[in-house]
Amino acid sequence: MKFSVFQLSRRGARARNEDRIGYCYTREACLLVLADGMGGHAAGDVAAQIALNSVCALFQARATPLLDDAPGFLAEALLHAHRQILRHAQQHHLADAPRTTLVVALLQQGQAWWIHCGDSRLYLARAGALLARTRDHSFRAMAERSGQPPASVNRNLLFTCLGSPSLPISDQAGPWPLARGDRLLLCSDGLWDALGETELLALLAHDPVSLCVPRLVDRALQHTGASSDNVSAIALEWEMPGAQSAPDSISTDALEGDAFESTLQLDAPDLPEPAPPVPALPEDELSEAAIERTIAEINAAIRRPGERRR
């Protein structure tokens, strides 16, 4: 499995960055995650961090090195993150649980699946043309689909999210067969709301993703200026096995057994060092307690000094 991946998050004009992004992979599967903590509720950044860590920890436990049921895993991961946020609120005696959006993409066996809740988006593009995009779980998007005037509806008002009292509503897609050069982009609304779809796809279409992502983020910040939201994006370019690789590509062929790699990005510009590999859990140790221990290990690894990488 070969791919190029790059992620970037900027605070913009907000007092704090409540977006969280990261990716992790085994020899045969790769996971991309983006969560946008909801600023209208307390500790949105905490909810986003819990969602990121919970999904990555579950991936580490389940992908050994392949997932048997990709759609089932994505549904389980989203609900697991939701429960972890509610548990955090209960343990800390919070009157209202923190809340976040979530979008997760899974790649294995040359195919892609994804799940999302809220208005953080996923774009799948080929040669600059849009193949697929998630549909926002917002009242404005609902009004647009039903033919109502969208201007009268607040774009930021969501009808579902993680951390809410009711079970989150989510949409899934896949499997989508991937061709060499296909690009996946996961982004927060701070990016897609600032850029039209034509501009977004044009910026995503050319040059390595290590150049595309900074350009997308910078352009969004330029467009919105002093009113900028947090802007976060993670993009992946798929490369066929055996094909000539991009200079900054990742090949998982050298990973052995159930080896696991992760790069979790917290805040910008003062980012803690990303997490080094965390040992995989034994197959028979998949309890809630085991997953909690894995989350704690990832949190500790994030804080541990080491060589910085994107």
Side-chain angles (χ1 to χ4, degrees):
M1 188 170 64
K2 296 179 182 179
F3 55 88
S4 300
V5 63
F6 194 86
Q7 60 186 9
L8 184 62
S9 183
R10 290 287 180 260
R11 179 170 57 86
R14 297 298 174 89
R16 61 196 303 170
N17 192 343
E18 296 187 304
D19 293 352
R20 296 295 185 266
I21 54 178
Y23 63 91
C24 46
Y25 56 90
T26 66
R27 190 178 69 248
E28 297 186 31
C30 176
L31 196 76
L32 310 177
V33 185
L34 186 146
D36 179 356
M38 297 175 65
H41 300 266
D45 54 339
V46 174
Q49 188 66 58
I50 292 172
L52 172 66
N53 288 3
S54 299
V55 172
C56 290
L58 193 65
F59 176 78
Q60 181 182 1
R62 296 279 193 263
T64 55
L66 198 66
L67 289 163
D68 294 332
D69 177 7
F73 166 80
L74 290 173
E76 179 186 7
L78 187 142
L79 289 177
H80 175 65
H82 172 68
R83 290 195 299 266
Q84 293 299 320
I85 293 169
L86 295 182
R87 178 181 295 181
H88 169 84
Q90 183 180 35
Q91 290 175 340
H92 292 81
H93 308 289
L94 302 180
D96 191 22
R99 303 184 187 186
T100 184
T101 69
L102 182 68
V103 56
V104 183
L106 169 66
L107 294 82
Q108 65 177 25
Q109 296 180 316
Q111 301 178 107
W113 294 258
W114 56 84
I115 191 170
H116 84 289
C117 176
D119 63 352
S120 294
R121 289 184 178 178
L122 177 145
Y123 294 82
L124 174 61
R126 178 174 296 166
L130 182 67
L131 295 182
R133 176 178 75 75
T134 54
R135 300 170 67 178
D136 305 333
H137 295 134
S138 67
F139 286 101
R140 180 166 184 173
M142 184 186 297
E144 290 173 345
R145 290 194 291 270
S146 63
Q148 298 178 19
S152 62
V153 183
N154 185 347
R155 184 196 65 74
N156 296 316
L157 192 58
L158 304 181
F159 59 79
T160 188
C161 62
L162 274 64
S164 63
S166 58
L167 282 175
I169 299 169
S170 62
D171 288 332
Q172 283 202 52
W176 281 82
L178 296 172
R180 185 172 188 267
D182 283 358
R183 297 191 172 193
L184 279 164
L185 172 69
L186 280 62
C187 61
S188 61
D189 65 333
L191 189 140
W192 64 256
D193 188 43
L195 304 176
E197 191 165 278
T198 300
E199 183 179 13
L200 185 152
L201 291 172
L203 290 170
L204 183 63
H206 306 292
D207 297 322
V209 291
S210 59
L211 298 178
C212 293
V213 170
R215 288 173 184 166
L216 283 162
V217 172
D218 288 345
R219 190 68 61 88
L221 292 171
Q222 291 168 7
H223 283 343
T224 50
S227 62
S228 173
D229 195 358
N230 305 149
V231 180
S232 300
I234 178 169
L236 178 144
E237 179 179 359
W238 182 254
E239 301 176 21
M240 296 296 290
Q244 183 178 358
S245 300
D248 58 351
S249 66
I250 295 171
S251 174
T252 65
D253 296 342
L255 293 180
E256 297 181 358
D258 298 339
F260 170 87
E261 297 278 352
S262 67
T263 299
L264 310 183
Q265 187 165 337
L266 302 183
D267 201 354
D270 300 320
L271 292 172
E273 301 301 327
V278 179
L281 291 173
E283 290 188 8
D284 60 349
E285 194 175 3
L286 299 178
S287 65
E288 288 287 324
I291 293 171
E292 287 289 336
R293 288 197 299 274
T294 305
I295 294 172
E297 290 174 2
I298 291 176
N299 281 331
I302 291 170
R303 294 188 291 269
R304 195 176 302 140
E307 179 182 354
R308 180 171 181 172
R309 60 173 180 168
R310 287 289 187 188

